[in-house]
Amino acid sequence: MAKGWLRAIAANPELQSSIRIVGLVDVNVEAARALAKEFDIVDAIIGSDLDAVLSETKPDLLFDIVVPAARQEVVAVGFRHGCHVLSEKPMATSLAAGRELIRLAGEAGKIHAVVQNRRFISGVRRIRRFVESGAIGKLTGLHCDFFIGAHFGGFREEMDNVLLLDMAIHTFDAARFIADKTPLAVYCHESNPRGSWYAHGAAANAIFELSDDVTFTYRGSWCAEGANTSWESQWRIIGTEGTLLWDGAESFQANKVAGSDGFLRELLPIEVPEPADQAETHGHASVIADFVAAIRSGKKPETASDDNINSLAMVFAAIESARTRQRVTI
């Protein structure tokens, strides 16, 4: 994932001129050296001891791109050294740990935000703008399908609740952003289908209750071979006056009711507007730019941890529901 972040910075002239990498830390120092060589990062301090490297480099920012189990300690060390911290998702391995990171950020007077890069794409921004316009009336439901046979190798294949914890948070966060509603409760069934190459929880089905009587449903699997969806899922957005379909890529189809007679009412196709701001559609680069802008302006970043914990809460409530086989409030 570090390569993804560095590619995003290198491809964005404004970020490239704003950010200078002064240190790279990895438990495997050779991996850090290889990363520096690949991205032509010169004069950076390289080491395996985060505390020592931060002491030597005194950076403004810490990019936390570690596995979830290491996040708490890494972020806490960053705050102790006066860094603003941008973390990979999920922001913590529990809600209690997430709340502690929010407390530490407040105590340090520093910004902590989370890379929810998949809300910073054109499709999600277009849908949010479309829903806000009232083009299909009042929102009543969001329904997502995510089915990909992903062979990662590595730590994901050993994780518990791998789909919900490592991937579904993207879709949950995007749904919360699009709907602009508060998650209230969930019922979730989790499984590890026959033939799965994951240790646990490669598939899940969840029904979320959102505020204002909006329903969000999620069907997903990371071991479904033969007909991959987009990484962004396939979406059906339903309003009181019409429906929007999005394939998770470039295809949008929206219709609203145009007639008042007949068993099935006449429909009128409607356009889905472009994003209000194209600068918000570049994934990792847009998240990092939003983070840097927040530091400069003092404005809260969109994915600040004290907001993003609501998406994390959806994940842990779904996991708890799957474990107890009961509806869980969020």
Side-chain angles (χ1 to χ4, degrees):
M1 292 310 304
K3 292 182 181 182
W5 289 44
L6 290 174
R7 286 190 198 103
I9 294 168
N12 184 297
E14 185 177 341
L15 289 179
Q16 200 172 28
S17 65
S18 301
I19 296 171
R20 182 168 63 91
I21 305 298
V22 296
L24 294 169
V25 179
D26 198 296
V27 291
N28 176 3
V29 176
E30 289 308 312
R33 290 196 180 106
L35 193 70
K37 182 177 180 181
E38 181 177 349
F39 286 88
D40 197 27
I41 298 171
V42 297
D43 300 327
I45 302 301
I46 294 174
S48 60
D49 185 326
L50 177 62
D51 193 73
V53 173
L54 291 179
S55 293
E56 187 169 356
T57 57
K58 296 178 171 54
D60 302 297
L61 319 177
L62 173 64
F63 290 158
D64 154 34
I65 321 175
V66 300
V67 296
R71 180 142 299 122
Q72 196 81 4
E73 183 178 354
V74 164
V75 175
V77 170
F79 288 147
R80 285 204 302 272
H81 283 268
C83 299
H84 300 285
V85 183
L86 183 62
S87 288
E88 257 297 341
K89 55 81 204 158
M91 66 172 279
T93 55
S94 70
L95 281 180
R99 293 188 191 102
E100 175 64 8
L101 291 181
I102 293 168
R103 187 192 70 78
L104 289 174
E107 194 175 78
K110 298 297 177 180
I111 293 173
H112 182 221
V114 183
V115 171
Q116 293 287 179
N117 55 296
R118 285 195 159 86
R119 70 156 61 190
F120 283 89
I121 61 172
S122 179
V124 170
R125 295 282 156 167
R126 290 177 71 180
I127 296 173
R128 168 69 180 251
R129 187 179 181 191
F130 181 78
V131 169
E132 285 181 327
S133 76
I136 53 174
K138 298 293 185 182
L139 186 68
T140 62
L142 307 90
H143 307 282
C144 291
D145 281 348
F146 175 87
F147 294 99
I148 291 182
H151 296 263
F152 291 103
F155 74 95
R156 286 182 181 86
E157 294 190 3
E158 302 302 321
M159 284 178 64
D160 287 341
N161 315 106
V162 62
L163 180 70
L164 288 171
L165 192 58
D166 195 60
M167 185 63 207
I169 190 167
H170 280 303
T171 312
F172 295 178
D173 182 72
R176 190 171 66 87
F177 172 72
I178 288 169
D180 195 23
K181 305 296 181 186
T182 302
L184 302 176
V186 62
Y187 179 80
C188 181
H189 173 73
E190 185 183 47
S191 63
N192 204 39
R194 184 178 303 161
S196 170
W197 48 95
Y198 295 87
H200 183 267
N205 293 264
I207 305 169
F208 286 90
E209 302 165 33
L210 308 183
S211 56
D212 296 325
D213 293 323
V214 175
T215 299
F216 163 51
T217 67
Y218 174 85
R219 303 188 304 176
S221 174
W222 246 353
C223 62
E225 298 282 30
N228 290 338
T229 64
S230 161
W231 281 93
E232 315 310 333
S233 302
Q234 292 178 338
W235 293 69
R236 179 181 291 264
I237 313 293
I238 303 172
T240 53
E241 300 172 18
T243 292
L244 165 67
L245 303 178
W246 179 44
D247 69 348
E250 303 300 323
S251 177
F252 290 86
Q253 180 184 342
N255 295 286
K256 68 181 298 182
V257 173
S260 57
D261 298 315
F263 179 67
L264 298 176
R265 301 297 164 85
E266 182 182 351
L267 299 177
L268 175 69
I270 47 179
E271 291 294 319
V272 178
E274 292 298 314
D277 185 353
Q278 290 291 342
E280 297 176 343
T281 66
H282 303 302
H284 279 86
S286 294
V287 185
I288 297 169
D290 183 60
F291 180 67
V292 171
I295 293 168
R296 287 175 168 167
S297 67
K299 182 181 176 182
K300 184 176 176 179
E302 185 174 310
T303 58
S305 55
D306 62 354
D307 176 75
N308 191 250
I309 197 170
N310 293 299
S311 297
L312 189 70
M314 294 173 74
V315 171
F316 284 117
I319 290 171
E320 179 67 9
S321 175
R323 186 185 68 81
T324 62
R325 297 178 178 259
Q326 294 181 359
R327 174 181 176 272
V328 171
T329 56
I330 301 174

